[in-house]
Amino acid sequence: MGAFVNSVFEFLFKYRPVVFERGDFEFGAPWPLLVLLLLGLLLAGIPLLTYLRARGRIGAVDRAALLTLRVAVLAVLLFCLARPILVLATVVPLENFLGILVDDSRSMQIADDGTVRGDFVLDELDPDGGELLNALAERFKLRFFRFSDAVDRVASVENLAFSGRHTRLGDALTRVHGELSAVPLAGLVVVSDGADNSDRPISDAILQLRGSGIPVHTIGLGRERFDRDIEVSRIELPRAVLTGSSVAVEVMVVHSGFQGETVTLNVEDAGRILSTQEVTLPREGEVTTVRAHFTAAESGPRLYRFHIVPQQGELVIENNTREALVQVRDRREKILYFEGEPRFEVKFLRRAIAEDDNLQVVTLQRTAENKFLRLDVDDVDELLGGFPKTREELFQYRALILGSIEASFFTHDQLQAIAEFVGQRGGGLLMLGGRRAFAEGGYADTPVAGVLPVVLSQASDVEGEPFFREVNVRLTPFGRTHPITQIEGSPDESAARWLELPPVSTLNPITETKPGASTLLMGESDGMNGLVVLAAQRYGRGRVLAFPVQDSWLWQMHADVPLDDLAHETFWRQLLRWLVQSVPDQIAFTMPRDHAGIADEMTITAEVVDSTYLKVNDAAVVARVTSPSGATQEIPMEWVVERDGEYLAGFATEEEGLYEVRTDVARGGEQLGSQTTYVQVTDPMDEYFGAQMKSSLLRRLAEETGGQFYTPETVRSLPEDVRYTESGSTVYEELEIWDMPVVFLLLVGLLATEWGLRKARGLV
């Protein structure tokens, strides 16, 4: 309740609401209640007889109303004679302890309410005259604790710097409760903005305190809404990409007070601006998703910065920026392209990526029955027997392209292996259009059909002739910002270029995608629109693309396309790079985040599989952590018994800079491989994100433990309210409530109403 509402309540009911919430209602009259009840019935008979004999302008309804009013007056009098009381436990003065937890994090330096949040602490809890401190000290033995990254006992709040990098409220409550468990504890008082940003939920601490009967009173500082503020709330982008790839990023922006205004979003790498985008902010409360693009030109671990230029009047500018660590890999990804017939698509696809050192397209082309042409293989034995017949042989590739090759060419085991290549191994799959592809190739009822992002119906002929359409390709809204379709420098330029490309043809009438799939390109044709040209989806651990076009090479060789145009080459490079971008290695190595602060505990997780991608539980896994200064520590990783193939280890960060974490895996004396990732240790800015006062969290903490929530405007009643508790050393107190002002006002109101009605009816 607000201060005014509390004051009105106390005026009417004599005591504050907390007294009624915690007290037990009883009657303290020296005579039995039955005697009072009989007396009431006797007295009620008098007005009954009086109004039954009344004459004048009075009917049955008036008699009933007058009788009810008189009986109500008698009921109020009997209530007072019964001497109602509230019985509640109160603390014994100066025999109980009160723990006071003060938020010492950076968000307490924000001046969103006219004054700095921390000033309330320094003023009200000042040992040399703090009003709140003095009022509490009259009743309790006080123990002070500061909390942010850690929890520390302090003698007073005089030396708090409000410089902590995190707010870990749950850990603080658990620690203080444990430290004060041996003394009579009346409760805890938390002074905070409630902007908890720890990884652990507060629920465990609440359950522990509630089970122990310890009430937590919370004082919320700051505003629940900033007047003018812009915050980059989250960014989503791949953790690893190939050198030279177009990277698509989703930047989530929230704001208050900037509706309709345009701001600038910059993407930076080591101080260089990679891209700039103007963003018009929507209505307040709506999350704006900005899709930004840039090229990852330099290899190695790159720290990209996403920054909105600060605006005039912004309350907090530290939350305008977020950073993300991306591993830009300069390595060669191996892709198998299996084509069932000689055609130009093979030649021009290979030509499109010929200059890309990060892509190796191994081509297997059927030239006759059981005869194949092999191109770009690593050795003479690779694909010597045709398409891979074992999981181990197929799973060595990062992606698979199926051209115009009928499903009946494969055995059932090979078709199943293709599906597992995507779902279990995590590889990429692309099916191209052609007379032997999709439904026309007999894939409708095979395991591969379940992997594809499009719905395969039975192959259709038109009057006995195979299906054929020339289509003009158009971007969909989703495809407009997808990295595959970025064939020019910006999304707008790419969209304009797609409109200029010549038509291509399809032999596969695909018009429907599966739930969860995304359509990037659509085709328009005379007499038939809505043809799917490019669709994508995730399947299991891998990615799948359907591209039912047989002659994309026209985008390079058509007479209307300039000789120096690179749209075709760029499209295929971007498509194949996206297809292999997130394919896992035999060692899938992850950490929960790419940023950390000093002294943070980092957990390393490694999933180990063999060459057939079956999980391995008997490997020797070692993590080598190299700090920014060059010091290296070796940490053995332990197998997690509950989960096959998973190994865990941990380390603590000790200095700012870039940490390299390399995992080496061996089995039976044979090296299975290694994997490297990175974590950037910086001074974290977490306290400035979501820094508004979280009243919902503070109210929940108070209500679920039996405490009260206060603000600086209502905190004056805290010292009195904390007295009423069953925790610690207590005595029971009886509070008279028969003389509440509301009882007198009710009695006067009932009598006045009865008199007025009697006068109106001529009975006075």
Side-chain angles (χ1 to χ4, degrees):
M1 295 185 184
F4 174 75
V5 176
N6 277 332
S7 298
V8 172
F9 188 95
E10 187 173 1
F11 170 77
L12 292 175
F13 294 92
K14 191 178 177 181
Y15 303 108
R16 290 178 44 75
V18 66
V19 175
F20 290 87
E21 292 173 6
R22 300 184 181 180
D24 294 325
F25 181 79
E26 295 182 9
F27 290 104
W31 43 78
L33 293 180
L34 181 59
V35 173
L36 290 176
L37 182 59
L38 292 175
L39 178 60
L41 292 175
L42 178 61
L43 294 176
I46 298 174
L48 176 61
L49 293 175
T50 301
Y51 289 122
L52 286 177
R53 297 175 180 177
R55 296 292 183 265
R57 295 176 299 167
I58 182 170
V61 175
D62 293 329
R63 287 189 175 92
L66 289 168
L67 180 61
T68 300
L69 290 169
R70 182 59 61 87
V71 170
V73 170
L74 292 173
V76 172
L77 293 174
L78 289 175
F79 174 78
C80 294
L81 290 174
R83 191 174 164 258
I85 58 174
L86 289 174
V87 180
L88 68 167
T90 60
V91 297
V92 178
L94 298 178
E95 288 190 11
N96 291 271
F97 287 79
L98 186 68
I100 301 179
L101 291 76
V102 180
D103 188 344
D104 192 33
S105 64
R106 289 174 176 172
S107 61
M108 296 288 283
Q109 297 182 22
I110 296 175
D112 58 340
D113 222 356
T115 59
V116 175
R117 295 173 180 178
D119 286 350
F120 171 88
V121 175
L122 299 178
D123 293 341
E124 293 292 336
L125 299 178
D126 183 0
D128 295 327
E131 187 175 340
L132 179 60
L133 175 67
N134 291 336
L136 292 173
E138 290 177 358
R139 297 178 171 89
F140 304 97
K141 299 176 182 178
L142 304 180
R143 294 294 182 266
F144 289 92
F145 300 84
R146 57 165 294 277
F147 71 93
S148 54
D149 305 276
V151 186
D152 297 305
R153 170 85 176 272
V154 293
S156 71
V157 300
E158 289 179 293
N159 298 321
L160 295 185
F162 305 111
S163 58
R165 300 168 302 168
H166 299 94
T167 300
R168 293 172 175 162
L169 181 53
D171 292 344
L173 290 168
T174 301
R175 163 76 183 279
V176 173
H177 177 226
E179 186 164 330
L180 299 179
S181 60
V183 300
L185 184 62
L188 302 176
V189 176
V190 173
V191 188
S192 173
D193 52 28
D196 184 270
N197 48 41
S198 64
D199 297 330
R200 297 175 58 183
I202 199 173
S203 304
D204 294 342
I206 290 177
L207 288 174
Q208 187 180 42
L209 290 163
R210 186 167 60 188
S212 301
I214 306 298
V216 179
H217 306 274
T218 56
I219 304 174
L221 303 179
R223 292 186 180 180
E224 296 184 66
R225 174 194 173 276
F226 292 154
D227 290 337
R228 286 177 65 83
D229 187 63
I230 301 172
E231 177 179 307
V232 178
S233 61
R234 189 159 52 96
I235 52 177
E236 292 186 357
L237 76 168
R239 296 283 294 270
V241 297
L242 288 175
T243 306
S245 294
S246 174
V247 183
V249 188
E250 289 190 347
V251 182
M252 272 61 81
V253 180
V254 296
H255 78 94
S256 57
F258 286 94
Q259 177 176 337
E261 298 188 31
T262 299
V263 297
T264 302
L265 171 66
N266 292 329
V267 181
E268 303 173 9
D269 178 14
R272 294 178 291 108
I273 296 179
L274 303 181
S275 71
T276 297
Q277 189 167 344
E278 299 298 315
V279 180
T280 301
L281 298 175
R283 292 181 303 174
E284 186 172 330
E286 295 182 3
V287 178
T288 306
T289 300
V290 184
R291 292 178 173 85
H293 295 81
F294 64 92
T295 300
E298 297 186 32
S299 62
R302 309 302 303 177
L303 188 65
Y304 295 112
R305 184 173 184 259
F306 303 87
H307 174 67
I308 289 182
V309 177
Q311 304 299 300
Q312 185 176 3
E314 270 199 85
L315 185 62
V316 181
I317 63 173
E318 289 85 354
N319 59 7
N320 286 38
T321 303
R322 280 194 183 271
E323 295 179 330
L325 187 65
V326 177
Q327 190 171 353
V328 184
R329 295 170 173 168
D330 187 10
R331 70 182 188 183
R332 199 166 173 82
E333 301 283 17
K334 197 172 182 180
I335 301 170
L336 173 59
Y337 177 13
F338 184 30
E339 184 56 76
E341 57 183 335
R343 57 177 182 167
F344 288 129
E345 195 73 347
V346 179
K347 173 183 177 180
F348 286 98
L349 188 157
R350 290 175 52 79
R351 180 186 292 182
I353 58 92
E355 301 299 321
D356 193 327
D357 294 334
N358 298 115
L359 295 174
Q360 176 188 358
V361 176
V362 177
T363 305
L364 179 67
Q365 180 175 303
R366 184 174 61 182
T367 57
E369 187 72 24
N370 295 324
K371 291 186 178 180
F372 303 94
L373 172 66
R374 298 177 298 148
L375 300 173
D376 218 6
V377 294
D378 289 335
D379 56 61
V380 295
D381 295 326
E382 185 175 357
L383 301 175
L384 189 61
F387 189 82
K389 297 178 174 60
T390 65
R391 284 168 55 108
E392 184 173 6
E393 187 181 2
L394 177 61
F395 286 13
Q396 69 175 303
Y397 299 97
R398 309 282 289 181
L400 171 63
I401 304 173
L402 294 179
S404 184
I405 180 72
E406 67 277 5
S408 59
F409 170 85
F410 302 100
T411 66
H412 178 78
D413 288 345
Q414 285 177 314
L415 291 171
Q416 186 63 41
I418 292 173
E420 293 173 354
F421 174 80
V422 180
Q424 296 181 17
R425 189 256 185 272
L429 173 64
L430 166 64
M431 181 172 280
L432 300 177
R435 59 179 177 170
R436 297 186 179 95
F438 296 101
E440 287 65 34
Y443 285 91
D445 297 319
T446 68
V448 175
V451 176
L452 294 174
V454 294
V455 177
L456 300 185
S457 56
Q458 294 298 321
S460 60
D461 292 343
V462 179
E463 297 180 355
E465 295 295 326
F467 177 87
F468 175 84
R469 287 287 191 283
E470 281 195 346
V471 295
N472 294 301
V473 176
R474 298 292 181 263
L475 283 171
T476 65
F478 183 82
R480 182 182 177 86
T481 57
H482 199 279
I484 291 178
T485 59
Q486 302 309 303
I487 57 177
E488 294 292 343
S490 71
D492 290 340
E493 293 172 341
S494 293
R497 185 70 186 99
W498 278 106
L499 294 174
E500 299 171 354
L501 292 178
V504 291
S505 65
T506 179
L507 302 174
N508 312 106
I510 297 175
T511 59
E512 186 179 355
T513 57
K514 294 177 181 177
S518 301
T519 303
L520 280 64
L521 297 172
M522 295 292 291
E524 300 175 356
S525 175
D526 293 338
M528 189 174 188
N529 293 328
L531 289 170
V532 176
V533 173
L534 182 62
Q537 78 170 10
R538 291 204 67 91
Y539 179 84
R541 302 179 67 186
R543 291 175 167 179
V544 190
L545 288 170
F547 185 49
V549 169
Q550 64 168 346
D551 49 10
S552 71
W553 56 270
L554 289 172
W555 293 335
Q556 176 66 55
M557 298 303 295
H558 195 277
D560 294 338
V561 177
L563 292 177
D564 59 350
D565 187 86
L566 297 177
H568 181 258
E569 288 91 336
T570 303
F571 170 73
W572 275 108
R573 290 178 183 178
Q574 297 294 84
L575 185 150
L576 296 181
R577 283 168 171 268
W578 182 86
L579 200 61
V580 299
Q581 178 175 280
S582 60
V583 177
D585 296 316
Q586 281 185 244
I587 304 168
F589 180 40
T590 60
M591 285 192 291
R593 58 188 187 276
D594 57 18
H595 269 68
I598 295 177
D600 280 358
E601 293 290 335
M602 300 298 296
T603 301
I604 311 169
T605 304
E607 185 179 275
V608 180
V609 297
D610 61 17
S611 57
T612 64
Y613 281 74
L614 296 177
K615 295 179 179 180
V616 173
N617 295 334
D618 58 350
V621 186
V622 177
R624 291 178 171 83
V625 181
T626 303
S627 69
S629 61
T632 299
Q633 57 176 319
E634 292 190 357
I635 308 171
M637 300 186 68
E638 301 292 334
W639 170 46
V640 180
V641 179
E642 297 82 5
R643 293 182 291 277
D644 288 336
E646 186 173 313
Y647 298 78
L648 285 180
F651 70 97
T653 57
E654 298 178 350
E655 55 186 289
E656 288 191 15
L658 186 68
Y659 276 74
E660 179 186 276
V661 184
R662 171 174 171 164
T663 300
D664 295 310
V665 181
R667 186 187 190 195
E670 178 184 352
Q671 291 294 320
L672 292 183
S674 64
Q675 185 66 271
T676 302
T677 190
Y678 301 87
V679 60
Q680 183 75 30
V681 178
T682 59
D683 185 13
M685 295 287 108
D686 296 358
E687 281 295 302
Y688 299 106
F689 291 88
Q692 299 88 341
M693 192 259 284
K694 301 298 188 297
S695 64
S696 57
L697 175 66
L698 296 174
R699 288 182 187 276
R700 176 194 170 199
L701 174 58
E703 291 172 0
E704 294 191 16
T705 59
Q708 297 287 320
F709 170 74
Y710 302 89
T711 63
E713 292 74 28
T714 62
V715 76
R716 296 295 165 224
S717 61
L718 170 63
E720 179 67 22
D721 293 346
V722 179
R723 292 181 53 234
Y724 304 114
T725 179
E726 295 184 359
S727 179
S729 178
T730 61
V731 294
Y732 283 95
E733 183 177 342
E734 294 182 356
L735 301 179
E736 302 276 1
I737 59 174
W738 67 268
D739 56 348
M740 295 184 297
V742 72
V743 175
F744 173 75
L745 294 175
L746 178 61
L747 188 60
V748 172
L750 290 171
L751 290 172
T753 303
E754 183 194 13
W755 184 86
L757 183 57
R758 291 175 60 197
K759 183 175 180 60
R761 294 296 181 262
L763 299 179
V764 178

